[in-house]
Amino acid sequence: MSIAQKFTNKYLSFSFGNAPFLPEDVFHQQEANCVGYAALYSATLVYLNENGSLTESYEVRHLYGQLYFMGFDLHRLFKSPFFKDHDYVEIIHKSTGEKRYVDPSLSDYLWIQHICTQ
């Protein structure tokens, strides 16, 4: 997960404007919003998983939902449709069923490595 995080953070910078969402396009443009960050991070994890670069096997799911801080819906602070929802990644360890949630764009700018879900 840390390799995918470092790769994503190295090649992307955040954009509030229209940005690509397909991993290959995101990588080439090197600018993304939360959708593109999650897409590139997910694609990198899937690639590492499928090519035997990881010692364990994982299922990777690109999800979207709301951002909350201490129970407060952060989307209520913004009127822009850009803040309608937020993309993040669920990583499931296939052997143990353990789940981790990562928001690659938050990680890049706020150094928050893992997020919780409700």
Side-chain angles (χ1 to χ4, degrees), residues 26-55:
V26 169
F27 176 76
H28 289 296
Q29 186 167 329
Q30 297 186 347
E31 195 171 83
N33 53 33
C34 65
V35 179
Y37 266 84
L40 184 61
Y41 179 81
S42 295
T44 303
L45 275 178
V46 168
Y47 175 83
L48 292 171
N49 200 40
E50 290 176 352
N51 289 288
S53 300
L54 300 177
T55 57

Side-chain angles (χ1 to χ4, degrees), residues 69-94:
F69 181 70
M70 299 178 69
F72 181 78
D73 180 359
L74 295 176
H75 299 271
R76 294 177 54 193
L77 299 173
F78 306 98
K79 296 192 186 308
S80 168
F82 179 83
F83 293 100
K84 176 182 170 192
D85 52 39
H86 196 75
D87 289 51
Y88 60 99
V89 180
E90 178 183 55
I91 303 147
I92 304 166
H93 189 280
K94 287 187 177 181

Side-chain angles (χ1 to χ4, degrees), residues 7-8 16 25 27-28 31 35 37 47 59-63 65 68 71 78 80-81 84 92 94 105 108 113:
F7 178 81
T8 302
F16 284 100
D25 296 338
F27 176 76
H28 289 296
E31 195 171 83
V35 179
Y37 266 84
Y47 175 83
E59 179 182 345
V60 180
R61 295 176 44 197
H62 181 153
L63 304 173
Y68 289 85
F78 306 98
S80 168
K84 176 182 170 192
I92 304 166
K94 287 187 177 181
S105 59
D108 195 14
Q113 299 305 316

